Amino acid sequence: QVQLVESGGGLVQAGGSLRLSCAGLGRTFSNYAMGWFRQAPGKEREFVAGISRGAGDTYYADSVKGRFTISRDNAKNTVSLQMNSLKPEDTAVYYCAAQRTPMIPTTQREYEYWGQGTQVTVSS
């Protein structure tokens, strides 16, 4: 069992930055690939970014490439999402997810463990 707790959401103006964090509790954190997803009102949950368990590989959705950076610290059992140049269309509830795999899953069904989500609102 892996428990994930997100933090760092909030309200920011367009062009601003936020940093989300996700703390992992339970099993060996370094065994899990980590992902960030988001869900806007009325829309399906979508993949944002993922990082391999050793942090050697990352993968981003085209919509955030060049603006968001995912990173992890296995010694502290945390994964972060640095979000820069935020746009109103980035407004959503952001979720971190974990899956025990050497790959970087990019779909919801591939992740077994999920956090409760944190709201990010970008005003225009």
Side-chain angles (χ1 to χ4, degrees):
Q1 185 77 10
V2 176
Q3 291 181 306
L4 302 172
V5 180
E6 300 100 335
S7 61
L11 173 64
V12 64
Q13 288 187 332
S17 299
L18 277 176
R19 185 177 181 87
L20 305 183
S21 293
C22 174
L25 307 173
R27 300 290 180 89
T28 305
F29 189 74
S30 59
N31 286 340
Y32 292 79
M34 300 298 296
W36 284 97
F37 286 73
R38 65 187 182 187
Q39 188 166 18
K43 295 187 177 181
E44 294 187 355
R45 193 172 298 187
E46 63 175 1
F47 173 81
V48 174
I51 189 166
S52 61
R53 54 193 184 184
D57 294 306
T58 57
Y59 189 75
Y60 297 91
D62 288 343
S63 59
V64 306
K65 202 172 295 182
R67 300 187 298 123
F68 291 11
T69 302
I70 187 171
S71 60
R72 67 188 297 164
D73 185 340
N74 286 339
K76 296 182 179 179
N77 287 6
T78 59
V79 61
S80 298
L81 186 68
Q82 177 66 42
M83 306 185 294
N84 298 328
S85 302
L86 283 161
K87 304 175 182 179
E89 51 263 43
D90 294 318
T91 295
V93 177
Y94 282 71
Y95 299 88
C96 71
Q99 180 60 31
R100 188 183 175 105
T101 175
M103 311 298 288
I104 301 177
T106 59
T107 64
Q108 283 190 73
R109 61 180 178 84
E110 295 178 279
Y111 284 90
E112 182 174 2
Y113 301 104
W114 292 84
Q116 82 288 351
T118 186
Q119 176 70 47
V120 171
T121 303
V122 184
S123 63
S124 58

